[in-house]
Amino acid sequence: MAHLRKSKSNSLLCDTKEVLLAHIKQDNHLTIALSGGIDSVVLLHVLATLSKQLQFTLSAVHVNHGISSNATLWSRFCCNLCHSYGISIYVAYLQIKKEAGTSLEAIAREERYRIFSHLQADYVVLAQHLDDQAETLLLQLFRGAGVKGLSAMPIVRKQVSDAAPQIFRPLLEVSRSRIEAYARQHKLNWIVDESNDSITFNRNFLRHEILPILKTRYPNYPKTLLRTSRHLSEASFLLDELAEIDNAYCRALGKLQVENLRKLSFPRAKNLLRYTLLNYGVTLPSTAKIENILNQLLSIGMDNQFHINLGDTEIRCYRGIIYMLPAKTPSQESKQCVWRGEAYLALPHLRGAIRFTQVKNQGISQQKILNEPITVRSRSGGECFTPACNRPRRSLKNLFQETAIPPWERITIPLLFCGEKLIWVPGIGIDCEFQVHSDEIGILPSWDPE
């Protein structure tokens, strides 16, 4: 029996080593997310053992959510445990408040990953295992999740920022029973979160009330559900590939076109919209909300404008072109900046800067701007402009419409004035009166929005 326990212990160590060898490199820095529970305590023991063999740097992070009255004791336990292994630990203290319409679990998870994204490491290592996979699949199923939501947790995945450490889950094919056996074999100590017994939480309800019944009829259900999740992961991957094909078809000049979106079947158009929102970092709304947005986009006329906010992103439509933009608009306060000949003029209130370069036969004539102050202003209305010497003077409003500049961009475009005369508009040109003559060195402005 002792030999059997030892072989199981070695088996978990060997299996984890194989996963590590497949994904990490020598001298990588791994930070384990240490809660103090049995799963992360076992993972810490395994990684501490393997770090010497595989020569990677190991540290730990503990997130103190401040929810439990025992949170301080748990933090102290994790610090003492890391000290016994001779590894450093960073403790992040949070104050989580429940918001209407969201679960405490979801808020805590979001805050944890926010902490993970700012760590200095190659990987943040999580102790999620085979049984966690099964529970997650069932929870997502009961929430009515789509293919992506039902997909298996990947062993390695990137976080939102490329600079952030990747999330690494080396125990995804290890069962809870094997983890518990390893902990007993090595006489490890861990903490028990009292909330784990509360069936008011959906995951605990599944774990304590539903899954034991399932196990009597389907003893291998975790592996079976893992297989199902992987099938769904493949389906999700194929849907993303289809979205990339449809994205290339529906875009012109880098923007989605409503006219081309209408040529797709409704499910394909919905798949493309969902894929686009995810690529812009939008937290996906419900299926009903996505379908409502899509229906509005598909029915919009060329002269109509569409505008809807989704968290920190807004979707706009102008002349059949779909725009994804940050929801926070720049300040619309009237502000005038004086240009004194510098090569770079920052305009933080318009979220951008103007660069001025000297070019032969191009740009603004330096002789014609000597006697008046040169200022940068936002549009106030009523401005007129003559970008072409062979055409009559035009209103700036008509020129913006002619060049299809969306209305929300017009208020953030910097206008260059000489005295009270408008002399340059980004994307349109330089007023005829102020253009250089041949062989003259002119000043060429260019607008660099953020």
Side-chain angles (χ1 to χ4, degrees):
M1 182 65 72
H3 175 73
L4 180 62
R5 285 199 303 269
K6 186 177 179 182
S7 67
K8 284 186 176 180
S9 171
N10 288 341
S11 172
L12 190 150
L13 200 67
C14 291
D15 289 351
T16 308
K17 182 178 179 179
E18 284 185 18
V19 177
L20 290 171
L21 286 170
H23 293 93
I24 72 165
K25 298 175 183 176
Q26 186 176 314
D27 297 327
N28 274 169
H29 181 180
L30 277 60
T31 296
I32 177 175
L34 184 65
S35 68
I38 186 171
D39 302 333
S40 63
V41 165
V42 165
L43 181 57
L44 176 62
H45 187 276
V46 170
L47 292 178
T49 303
L50 293 175
S51 65
K52 299 177 181 64
Q53 298 178 30
L54 304 184
Q55 297 183 355
F56 58 82
T57 302
L58 181 62
S59 64
V61 58
H62 171 75
V63 180
N64 183 322
H65 298 95
I67 298 172
S68 170
S69 58
N70 294 316
T72 301
L73 293 174
W74 299 342
S75 297
R76 190 176 302 144
F77 171 85
C78 289
C79 289
N80 291 336
L81 185 61
C82 288
H83 179 72
S84 71
Y85 283 107
I87 68 169
S88 63
I89 180 170
Y90 164 63
V91 180
Y93 292 91
L94 301 176
Q95 289 184 331
I96 294 176
K97 295 180 181 177
K98 191 178 185 311
E99 299 172 5
T102 57
S103 72
L104 200 61
E105 280 180 295
I107 297 170
R109 181 184 183 278
E110 186 176 320
E111 286 298 305
R112 280 198 303 277
Y113 279 89
R114 183 180 62 79
I115 296 294
F116 296 162
S117 69
H118 290 94
L119 295 175
Q120 297 298 311
D122 295 297
Y123 296 94
V124 176
V125 192
L126 307 186
Q128 290 160 323
H129 50 72
L130 184 64
D131 296 76
D132 290 326
Q133 284 268 37
E135 291 167 4
T136 299
L137 172 63
L138 291 173
L139 285 170
Q140 292 290 76
L141 194 63
F142 295 140
R143 289 176 186 138
V147 171
K148 192 174 290 292
L150 296 171
S151 299
M153 288 184 282
I155 293 175
V156 175
R157 75 163 176 84
K158 289 185 176 181
Q159 298 197 72
V160 175
S161 167
D162 287 339
Q166 297 186 78
I167 300 297
F168 186 24
R169 302 179 177 96
L171 301 181
L172 283 180
E173 295 196 22
V174 178
S175 67
R176 181 179 285 118
S177 61
R178 288 180 67 195
I179 289 171
E180 291 170 350
Y182 185 99
R184 289 192 299 269
Q185 170 69 18
H186 292 275
K187 297 181 172 58
L188 302 180
N189 295 315
W190 61 89
I191 60 173
V192 177
D193 185 344
E194 69 278 1
S195 69
N196 287 342
D197 294 326
S198 173
I199 61 172
T200 57
F201 295 107
N202 291 334
R203 186 178 290 272
N204 290 343
F205 175 74
L206 272 179
R207 185 177 297 170
H208 298 304
E209 300 289 324
I210 304 300
L211 295 179
I213 298 172
L214 275 180
K215 196 172 184 68
T216 61
R217 178 60 66 94
Y218 307 104
N220 291 321
Y221 78 85
K223 288 185 178 179
T224 304
L225 293 182
L226 174 62
R227 191 164 62 248
T228 298
S229 285
R230 285 179 171 166
H231 292 326
L232 290 163
S233 293
E234 287 185 6
S236 178
F237 178 80
L238 292 174
L239 285 173
D240 284 349
E241 283 199 334
L242 178 63
E244 288 174 7
I245 294 168
D246 290 339
N247 184 52
Y249 171 75
C250 290
R251 281 185 180 266
L253 300 176
K255 296 286 190 297
L256 283 176
Q257 309 286 316
V258 171
E259 182 183 355
N260 291 337
L261 200 62
R262 290 190 182 117
K263 295 175 183 177
L264 301 178
S265 66
F266 191 82
R268 282 179 71 161
K270 184 169 68 172
N271 182 54
L272 175 56
L273 178 59
R274 185 185 291 111
Y275 175 82
T276 304
L277 291 173
L278 282 172
N279 280 349
Y280 276 90
V282 177
T283 300
L284 288 182
S286 67
T287 299
K289 178 80 170 176
I290 289 179
E291 290 179 350
N292 178 261
I293 293 170
L294 183 58
N295 277 319
Q296 290 184 61
L297 285 170
L298 295 177
S299 61
I300 199 169
M302 284 294 289
D303 296 331
N304 294 337
Q305 292 185 35
F306 172 87
H307 179 205
I308 190 167
N309 281 346
L310 285 176
D312 294 332
T313 302
E314 61 182 16
I315 306 174
R316 289 183 179 267
C317 189
Y318 177 66
R319 292 192 176 183
I321 300 174
I322 300 169
Y323 297 81
M324 302 279 178
L325 306 162
K328 294 180 181 178
T329 56
S331 170
Q332 297 180 18
E333 63 177 319
S334 179
K335 189 172 181 179
Q336 180 173 297
C337 297
V338 178
W339 179 60
R340 295 183 173 86
E342 57 266 50
Y344 179 88
L345 181 62
L347 301 169
H349 64 295
L350 297 178
R351 293 190 178 179
I354 301 176
R355 297 182 185 275
F356 298 87
T357 54
Q358 293 190 345
V359 184
K360 190 173 183 179
N361 295 328
Q362 289 186 61
I364 300 166
S365 170
Q366 299 184 60
Q367 297 300 316
K368 294 179 180 179
I369 60 173
L370 289 175
N371 301 320
E372 296 280 358
I374 307 301
T375 56
V376 178
R377 311 175 198 171
S378 300
R379 184 183 176 215
S380 59
E383 296 89 354
C384 290
F385 195 57
T386 313
C389 296
N390 59 349
R391 297 191 66 185
R393 195 165 180 79
R394 308 277 304 284
S395 73
L396 188 56
K397 177 181 178 180
N398 287 339
L399 288 168
F400 277 149
Q401 290 173 342
E402 212 172 73
T403 51
I405 295 175
W408 61 88
E409 289 185 9
R410 298 172 194 174
I411 59 173
T412 65
I413 289 179
L415 307 178
L416 199 64
F417 285 81
C418 179
E420 293 304 312
K421 292 182 178 179
L422 177 60
I423 64 172
W424 172 71
V425 182
I428 294 179
I430 297 165
D431 188 87
C432 172
E433 182 185 343
F434 291 85
Q435 293 173 10
V436 294
H437 298 299
S438 60
D439 294 328
E440 185 181 354
I441 301 295
I443 298 170
L444 189 65
S446 62
W447 169 232
D448 292 338
E450 289 180 359

